[in-house]
Amino acid sequence: MAPLYFTFLNGKDIAELAVSNAEILDAVEAGLRAQGDGETVVEPRVHLEPGEQFNGHFNVLRGYVGPLNLAGVKVVGDFVDNYRVGLPSEMALLTLFDPATGTPVAILDATAITEMRTGAVTALGARHLARKDAKVLANIGARGTSYWNVRLIAEAFDLEQIRVHSRRAESRNAFAERLRRDLDVDVVVTDDWESCVRDADIVVEASRLPQPQPLLKTEWIKPGALVVPYGTMSAVELSLTGIMDKIVVDDWGQCRTGKFGSLREHVNRGLLTEETLHGELCELVVGSKPSREHDSETNLFWHRGLSLSDIALGHALLHLAAEHGVGTRLRFA
């Protein structure tokens, strides 16, 4: 057998590539387009919970993207107390394989990939479901994915104000300072959920709750707004789905199963069903289902995180790395 090699991209490599907003959005949209065209396999995520003594769990995401000729598995830890020891709450590895032979193609530090692809899916959902003239963005949460939510939504909309809130004052203030450095938009830090959310055109809820708690009130949602809740634990009221004209998800198969997710109780109680679901984001991307049809629509987009987005962005980063001579070639066999 001839020697087999795979590429390793660590976090420093990925940072060095300085992938652009447009490159991130294009890569993730390509994965959604493949999904909409029926050229992918998405296995619903599964979870590894190592024990109650650890305040966290691992998510395992698996998929195949035909046009990219890649299968992939990502394992991402979700440990909310990591800030106490100076670590990000989410750290991940993505492994890519040749789907014909199972040969490993690459291993990538997927921590930044997770953050970037999550923000890209949020922004692409907003592109299809928010008002084109949206001016005020409200973002709850200050983790890494929150930064990319805001940065990539700001890429797609001419925002006048970004409001941010998170549980810890030091995290929300640091988050706001980072946004002010990187974006030419007025950034307002709020001390509570209501002043952040009320009357915003786009509301992104990425909180880090230890258990479900309805902190985001339905009455605060402005008619015509888009709400994007994707926290692991639900922070919304059961009544939220009742005011929506369109409810869209990233993948219904994984949204209707598992114990985690912002709308888990809505699914369990029959408030969100296949019949009340408008569609999956990929259907809007390929045009088989309509996107926002009028300014008065109040819409909701719930995404649990797609393996396809990780694979698509990983593929794009591998190509950039090859062009720039970044990464390490490791012998497998």
Side-chain angles (χ1 to χ4, degrees), residues 36-48:
D37 289 336
E39 298 178 306
T40 63
V41 175
V42 183
E43 293 285 346
R45 66 170 60 198
V46 295
H47 307 281
L48 169 64

Side-chain angles (χ1 to χ4, degrees), residues 44-323:
R45 66 170 60 198
V46 295
H47 307 281
L48 169 64
E49 298 176 77
E52 293 183 359
Q53 70 272 34
F54 306 108
N55 189 16
H57 64 278
F58 295 93
N59 302 297
V60 183
L61 293 79
R62 305 153 294 163
Y64 160 71
V65 183
L68 304 182
N69 195 38
L70 283 175
V73 178
K74 186 181 79 171
V75 180
V76 52
D78 190 351
F79 291 82
V80 298
D81 290 332
N82 275 5
Y83 71 91
R84 301 181 189 276
V85 292
L87 292 172
S89 60
E90 294 172 296
M91 291 183 283
L93 281 177
L94 171 65
T95 308
L96 299 176
F97 301 89
D98 181 333
T101 65
T103 304
V105 172
I107 296 176
L108 300 88
D109 178 338
T111 305
I113 289 173
T114 299
E115 295 172 356
M116 292 185 288
R117 68 85 155 130
T118 301
V121 173
T122 301
L124 291 167
R127 185 186 290 174
H128 286 275
L129 291 165
R131 289 176 57 120
K132 302 303 181 190
D133 61 352
K135 297 296 183 186
V136 178
L137 166 64
N139 187 92
I140 301 289
R143 50 179 159 156
T145 57
S146 293
Y147 170 80
W148 286 98
N149 285 331
V150 174
R151 174 169 163 169
L152 294 178
I153 289 174
E155 176 82 5
F157 293 86
D158 184 20
L159 298 176
E160 293 180 352
Q161 185 181 80
I162 297 167
R163 304 177 194 158
V164 299
H165 177 74
S166 68
R167 179 172 55 88
R168 294 183 298 118
E170 60 269 32
S171 67
R172 62 182 181 253
N173 288 330
F175 180 43
E177 283 306 309
R178 183 182 182 188
L179 293 175
R180 290 180 183 125
R181 286 196 304 268
D182 294 350
L183 303 176
D184 185 24
V185 184
D186 178 39
V187 179
V188 176
V189 179
T190 73
D191 294 328
D192 60 87
W193 285 59
E194 181 176 1
S195 57
C196 184
V197 168
R198 187 180 282 278
D199 292 330
D201 299 307
I202 302 172
V203 177
V204 180
E205 181 275 304
S207 60
R208 309 286 285 158
L209 301 180
Q211 63 273 324
Q213 187 178 359
L215 296 174
L216 194 158
K217 305 300 182 183
T218 304
E219 67 181 72
W220 300 340
I221 302 304
K222 174 183 177 179
L226 168 67
V227 182
V228 186
Y230 74 86
T232 299
M233 298 294 177
S234 178
V236 303
E237 295 183 305
L238 288 172
S239 58
L240 182 66
T241 52
I243 69 167
M244 297 298 165
D245 292 290
K246 287 185 173 74
I247 300 177
V248 174
V249 300
D250 56 355
D251 180 74
W252 177 238
Q254 69 174 2
C255 284
R256 68 188 179 195
T257 62
K259 62 181 289 186
F260 298 117
S262 293
L263 300 187
R264 173 59 48 232
E265 192 64 18
H266 296 76
V267 174
N268 293 344
R269 291 179 181 239
L271 298 172
L272 175 58
T273 66
E274 195 163 4
E275 288 69 37
T276 59
L277 183 73
H278 174 67
E280 296 174 328
L281 179 59
C282 64
E283 296 177 293
L284 278 57
V285 169
V286 300
S288 60
K289 293 279 182 72
S291 299
R292 173 180 281 266
E293 295 172 274
H294 50 81
D295 286 346
S296 62
E297 277 184 16
T298 305
N299 294 329
L300 185 147
F301 174 45
W302 175 30
H303 60 99
R304 299 222 47 220
L306 273 176
S307 58
L308 310 179
S309 302
D310 297 302
I311 295 166
L313 186 51
H315 174 267
L317 288 167
L318 281 177
H319 276 263
L320 277 175
E323 290 174 7

